[in-house]
Amino acid sequence: MPTPPDIEAVAEAVFTALADPSRRGILAALAAGGPATATDLATRLPITRQGIAKHLALLADAGLVAPEAGAGRRVHYRLQSAPMHVAQQFLAALARDWDRQFDALQTHLDAAPVDQPARRNDGTSES
Amino acid sequence: MGFPDRIERTVEIGHPPARVWAALTTAEGLGTWFGHAATIDLRPGGAASMTWTSGDKASMRIERVEEPTVFGFTWGIYGLPDDDPRRTYVEFTLEPTDTGTRLTVVESGFAQLPEDGFRKAFDGNTEGWASELGELVEYLDANAA
């Protein structure tokens, strides 16, 4: 199956954003507290409001947050789960540990008694 | 970056295919070496599940049952919500050898695209207005100070 380029770009945008402490803080705040305005975030994070606005614009361009009109014309930013799921797919592939699983299978087969009568009859040389 | 779609491993096991097959396809087997408990309805389209004492649970849908050589199922991608349509396909292949069994597992589908409904979530986010709204909020916030 060929890997479409856009899924790569989406995952890369997520990991690039997460590598920056300020953007990681903004994403964490939106995940923990739900949609928020730039002003809300500036009061909760050690980042200037100008800095928050710059990072939110970058995150919105990358599709990681979406601006939406809130009450009183204030723009609220909402975390977008779809790109996070793509990043999760990537992490799931890295985290899938078939080596460890196969070790467990080997251990299980070595330890489990051979309880088939036919095999016992065949395996006369086995002690 | 290189998004891996497919994971493949082969291992030589010093036990005959019949025993490996039983370990892969019975509740007793799966609930011992893989999960802490398991259920399985061993037929194409049948359901299987594994649970762990940690509270984790995996739900599988059996796809291929060709005793004692091919066993395949799909399951959800770890970390995605239970109702997410993305699933990977796991296929075990057993080959008899002089010393026992050559067991291969292939798990594929990690790099699959989101469903249409999810794609709209990406496509609907046009860079132009997102960026402009970012500038707008910056402007409004600056004036509100």
Side-chain angles (χ1 to χ4, degrees):
Chain A
M1 179 193 289
T3 304
D6 57 342
I7 196 173
E8 291 272 349
V10 170
E12 186 165 336
V14 172
F15 295 126
T16 300
L18 290 176
D20 179 90
S22 295
R23 289 199 276 279
R24 192 161 63 239
I26 291 170
L27 293 174
L30 294 177
T37 65
T39 306
D40 295 335
L41 292 168
T43 62
R44 284 150 61 184
L45 298 168
I47 309 170
T48 65
R49 203 164 44 216
Q50 287 80 5
I52 296 273
K54 183 192 75 176
H55 288 306
L56 282 172
L58 280 166
L59 292 170
D61 277 349
L64 306 187
V65 303
E68 51 188 34
R73 287 179 306 185
R74 286 211 167 268
V75 177
H76 284 70
Y77 286 84
R78 177 189 293 271
L79 194 63
Q80 295 297 97
S81 61
M84 308 308 166
H85 291 163
V86 171
Q88 190 77 51
Q89 287 174 254
F90 184 84
L91 293 177
L94 299 185
R96 172 68 72 238
D97 196 346
W98 281 113
D99 297 312
R100 187 176 59 83
Q101 217 66 68
F102 274 176
D103 286 347
L105 174 61
Q106 293 262 22
T107 303
H108 164 68
L109 287 168
D110 290 344
V114 180
D115 55 5
Q116 297 163 341
R119 182 176 164 78
R120 240 178 239 135
N121 293 338
D122 293 338
T124 48
S125 65
E126 289 178 322
S127 57
Chain B
M1 188 162 67
F3 210 130
D5 181 68
R6 174 188 161 97
I7 293 173
E8 179 170 345
R9 291 288 189 285
T10 297
V11 65
E12 302 287 340
I13 295 179
H15 297 277
R19 288 203 62 212
V20 178
W21 178 264
L24 295 174
T25 60
T26 65
E28 295 76 18
L30 287 173
T32 305
W33 68 272
F34 208 149
H36 291 128
T39 65
I40 184 167
D41 177 13
L42 187 61
R43 59 182 177 82
S49 69
M50 289 187 291
T51 55
W52 287 265
T53 51
S54 61
D56 286 326
K57 178 175 183 180
S59 297
M60 297 105 88
R61 182 183 188 278
I62 310 298
E63 302 291 343
R64 287 186 73 182
V65 181
E66 292 160 30
E67 185 176 1
T69 55
V70 181
F71 173 56
F73 61 82
T74 63
W75 60 355
I77 295 176
Y78 186 81
L80 295 190
D82 286 344
D83 61 352
D84 193 285
R86 279 164 283 193
R87 299 172 74 80
T88 54
Y89 176 59
V90 177
E91 188 171 278
F92 294 99
T93 306
L94 293 71
E95 296 170 66
T97 64
D98 291 344
T99 54
T101 306
R102 180 176 300 117
L103 174 65
T104 298
V105 64
V106 175
E107 180 167 6
S108 57
F110 288 103
Q112 67 194 285
L113 280 171
E115 296 284 301
D116 283 350
F118 288 87
R119 293 194 76 172
K120 288 196 180 77
F122 296 125
D123 298 342
N125 194 294
T126 58
E127 294 187 359
W129 64 259
S131 174
E132 281 166 24
L133 274 177
E135 289 167 18
L136 171 62
V137 77
E138 189 171 8
Y139 167 77
L140 290 173
D141 284 347
N143 285 338

